[in-house]
Amino acid sequence: MHVGTRVDVAIRGVRVEAPVRRAGGAGPSDDGHLILDGMGAAVPLDPRSPYSVRDGRLWLGETDTGLPVTPVRRPRFYDLTTADGVPYEKIAKLHGAGVLATTVVQTCVRYAESDRCRFCAVEESLYAGATVAAKTPAQLAEVAEAAVRLDGVTQMVMTTGTTNGPDRGARVLARSVRAVLAAVPGLPVQVQCEPPEDLAWLGELRAAGAAAIGIHVESLDEEVRRRWTPGKAAVPVARYEEAWAEAVRVFGRNRVSTYLLAGLGEDPDELVDGAARLIRMGVYPVRGAVPADARHPGRARGRRAGAAARAGAPGHRARRGAAARGGHDRRRAGGGVRGLRGVQRARRGGRVSRCPRSTCRSSPDRRPAR
Ligand code: SF4
């Protein structure tokens, strides 16, 4: 599939019933999970999209693109509950066709209105009763075992809201990884957290058995970060660079990833150059784009919040799907830059619009954004 088509679908969404979807959670969300031309895709579900699915193929208006599409089926493990009575679906979710994903701690110290990342809805699913605030290692191990046995899950992603301690959530991730691997030996697990204060935590995560790590900066532009991720922007990009370097040393090249969101007002060429720099240092840049109709999450509790399309992520938040890449990463990393250029072209073509909230610091009169 041409990367331009993939980017276009990721931005404009698709009209389709998707049994597996994510309506909220950490980082950008609100998507349905499809197998698009043989690859996992987390795509906005939008009744106004020009894309639809008919007869198992993707249509653009009245044109059959010829690309096969299959919505990911509802997994069987969703029908189970833990020994202590919590539905498995509240512990971890299926992303793509084979990735089990969980937010171990569903709260974030940066979720006050003034601090939160403007696209993030990490606590919304908690308020909606769709998840629990903290998943225990035992619960995660139980669900992972069932998901592998019943639904053929092949990898797991564990993210977390940022915690108060200097480990930034790494401690609970390490405990969780150990428990899961005791139940499912050999399952590739990717972890995700902010740069810990003490970078030795990265070694602890590797020692616990994590196969890969995501340390997500979201934007390399400090001004963009101050507007869109005001809490996280307190940690400068330079500190992320130290953490990436240490993570590459510990986990290996291309087993470290970071998100770069496109369309937040950054310079397109600087974004692409920054992605190339990351690739050179062994960090896999996962690109995302903020679609035209995303509402501002600051006031969107209970509604669609923080929608973002993951253009080209193999599972979801490639945050979903990153654990088992290994040798594929170099090829994908090149695709990452091409994908970013595609997103930027779409942006220049007017398909990525600006923040609709007039009071937002990212409002249309100040800067080009979603
Ligand atoms: S740091 Fe930002 S993206 Fe991460 S959970 Fe907190 S508010 Fe969400």
Side-chain angles (χ1 to χ4, degrees), residues 27-346:
S29 58
D30 203 352
D31 45 48
H33 292 243
L34 312 173
I35 304 301
L36 179 54
D37 198 24
M39 296 175 72
V43 177
L45 303 176
D46 189 341
R48 296 162 301 173
S49 171
Y51 287 99
S52 61
V53 177
R54 281 184 249 165
D55 304 323
R57 288 195 304 278
L58 183 71
W59 288 66
L60 175 56
E62 291 307 309
T63 304
D64 181 357
T65 67
L67 296 171
V69 184
T70 313
V72 173
R73 68 170 175 79
R74 189 177 191 277
R76 282 179 279 187
F77 78 85
Y78 276 14
D79 296 329
L80 303 178
T81 54
T82 61
D84 49 356
V86 182
Y88 277 18
E89 193 179 354
K90 292 189 176 188
I91 303 295
K93 286 194 175 297
L94 185 66
H95 285 240
V99 181
L100 185 66
T102 185
T103 302
V104 179
V105 177
Q106 198 77 39
T107 54
C108 176
V109 290
R110 307 201 188 284
Y111 208 63
E113 175 73 25
S114 58
D115 282 353
R116 73 179 60 160
C117 302
R118 296 320 192 205
F119 44 77
C120 178
V122 65
E123 296 187 11
E124 304 310 313
S125 41
L126 190 57
Y127 304 137
T131 187
V132 294
K135 290 78 174 174
T136 68
Q139 287 173 331
L140 291 168
E142 183 180 337
V143 174
E145 188 282 324
V148 170
R149 177 168 43 84
L150 298 176
D151 296 290
V153 155
T154 56
Q155 52 183 303
M156 185 167 186
V157 173
M158 293 182 188
T159 191
T160 181
T162 299
T163 59
N164 250 327
D167 60 284
R168 303 284 186 259
R171 182 191 302 272
V172 70
L173 289 173
R175 259 193 240 128
S176 303
V177 171
R178 283 202 169 89
V180 164
L181 292 181
V184 194
L187 183 70
V189 180
Q190 190 219 28
V191 290
Q192 303 176 349
C193 61
E194 279 192 36
E197 219 168 277
D198 181 353
L199 295 183
W201 276 108
L202 301 176
E204 291 292 320
L205 287 165
R206 182 74 187 102
I213 187 168
I215 304 173
H216 301 305
V217 72
E218 321 290 359
S219 173
L220 295 168
D221 181 318
E222 294 285 20
E223 180 55 28
V224 166
R225 297 181 73 230
R226 280 192 286 276
R227 287 177 176 145
W228 284 85
T229 62
K232 272 176 93 167
V235 180
V237 172
R239 180 59 177 165
Y240 276 81
E241 286 173 352
E242 291 169 2
W244 292 325
E246 174 62 7
V248 168
R249 189 187 72 77
V250 168
F251 284 86
R253 290 181 64 80
N254 303 320
R255 292 190 174 273
V256 180
S257 60
T258 193
Y259 272 101
L260 297 180
L261 298 178
L264 302 184
E266 71 287 340
D267 180 286
D269 295 326
E270 284 180 14
L271 173 63
V272 173
D273 290 347
R277 197 174 69 244
L278 289 168
I279 291 167
R280 282 196 297 275
M281 70 185 287
V283 177
Y284 176 90
V286 181
R287 70 273 189 189
V290 183
D293 68 339
R295 293 177 188 164
H296 197 291
R299 294 183 177 172
R301 187 163 294 175
R303 298 180 301 166
R304 177 178 179 180
R310 294 298 175 186
H316 175 59
R317 231 193 152 182
R319 296 185 177 188
R320 324 301 179 206
R325 280 193 201 121
H328 299 298
D329 269 4
R330 192 159 300 161
R331 176 178 58 82
R332 287 191 172 282
V337 170
R338 285 196 299 278
L340 280 169
R341 290 196 194 281
V343 168
Q344 296 295 1
R345 272 198 300 276

